């Protein structure tokens, strides 16, 4: 018989009668707060703070809509808002809406590209072959946004070939237009080292370079042996690259497509 000291209880209300607990926010220890069904539902619906912390300090107005009140005084709501450069906050609903509007503007500019009009980064993204356009769900963006605590912008994706997933080769071929649009600019085949930190805080050292193939550049991310083993990627999985704002860092995420693995499982790295 288990001792009473090992009895599981809800992190918030301390209820130990619940038979099912769900993950809440991440604690400083790296674990997740275990919540009973009632508290977990309030947390997932975004009503946790207004229920338990309504009289606490730290409530601020969203600078975008001016309607949504955000509780900036506790770890529970840490992922419910984005800090602005000038010190204000924006609720995540507005952050997602701003991203959707920005993406629509990029799509709208597609017809202008053919007329030679420069569109900066948007033009680079639109010129990417359709097979590399990111197909990202709201759930995936939500998961990555929670881990990176930033606004997440999908850039491109690639279906892993057998050679990409080869542990002995330990490298990933990056589509040329994608590499030139979103990766560091390199002027020689030797390339440059890149440091990549995964979403759990571990830093990985890779090398970005290119090979000359019949006069054309083939861009490669090398030194992935330990990373590939850790992420257990296989041919047929999908690697998606994102950028987080305002840090302008790259994120590399893996979407498993093998049997028995949910298509929404995301394992990400931040450059």
């Amino acid at each position: 018989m288990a001792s009473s000291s090992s009895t599981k209880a809800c992190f918030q209300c301390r209820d130990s009668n619940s038979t099912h607990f769900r993950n809440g926010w991440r604690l400083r220890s790296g674990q997740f707060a275990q919540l009973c069904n009632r508290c977990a539902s309030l947390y997932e619906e975004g009503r946790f703070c207004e229920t338990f912390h309504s009289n606490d300090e730290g409530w601020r107005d969203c600078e975008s809509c001016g309607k949504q009140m955000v509780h900036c005084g506790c770890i529970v709501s840490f992922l419910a808002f984005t800090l602005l450069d000038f010190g204000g906050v924006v609720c995540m609903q507005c952050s997602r809406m701003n991203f959707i509007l920005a993406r629509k503007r990029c799509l709208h500019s597609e017809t202008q590209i053919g007329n030679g009009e420069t569109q900066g980064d948007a033009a680079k993204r639109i010129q990417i072959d359709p097979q590399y356009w990111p197909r990202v769900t709201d759930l995936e963006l939500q998961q990555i946004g929670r881990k990176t605590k930033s606004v997440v912008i999908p850039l491109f994706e690639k279906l892993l070939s057998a050679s990409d997933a080869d542990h002995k080769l330990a490298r990933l071929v990056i589509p040329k237009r994608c590499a030139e649009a979103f990766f560091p600019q390199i002027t020689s085949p030797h390339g440059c080292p890149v440091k990549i930190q995964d979403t759990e805080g571990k830093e990985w050292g890779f090398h970005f370079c290119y090979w000359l193939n019949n006069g054309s550049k083939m861009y490669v991310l090398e030194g992935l042996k330990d990373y590939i083993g850790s992420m257990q990627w296989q041919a047929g999985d999908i690697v998606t690259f994102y950028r987080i704002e305002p840090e302008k860092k790259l994120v590399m995420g893996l979407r498993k497509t093998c049997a028995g693995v949910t298509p929404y499982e995301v394992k990400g790295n931040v450059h």
Side-chain angles (χ1 to χ4, degrees), residues 195-198 201-205:
K195 290 183 178 180
I196 297 179
Q197 181 181 348
D198 65 31
K202 182 177 179 179
E203 190 172 77
W204 303 81

Side-chain angles (χ1 to χ4, degrees), residues 125-183:
R125 182 166 184 265
I126 290 168
Q127 290 172 353
I128 292 172
D129 294 338
Q131 72 184 91
Y132 301 123
W133 277 73
R135 298 162 181 82
V136 183
T137 68
D138 289 340
L139 178 58
E140 287 174 315
L141 285 178
Q142 225 174 34
Q143 289 176 333
I144 298 172
R146 285 178 179 176
K147 293 180 179 180
T148 61
K149 305 176 181 65
S150 303
V151 176
V152 182
I153 300 175
L155 300 178
F156 68 94
E157 71 178 31
K158 183 189 180 186
L159 184 71
L160 292 178
S161 65
S163 61
D164 287 329
D166 191 321
H167 289 219
K168 294 181 180 179
L169 296 176
R171 52 101 179 114
L172 174 66
V173 175
I174 307 296
K176 182 177 180 181
R177 290 182 177 177
C178 301
E180 294 179 345
F182 305 119
F183 276 70

Side-chain angles (χ1 to χ4, degrees), residues 106-120 122-124 126-127:
C106 289
L107 292 172
H108 178 67
S109 66
E110 183 175 7
T111 56
Q112 298 175 331
I113 299 299
N115 297 325
E117 182 174 345
T118 301
Q119 296 293 329
K124 293 176 182 178
I126 290 168
Q127 290 172 353

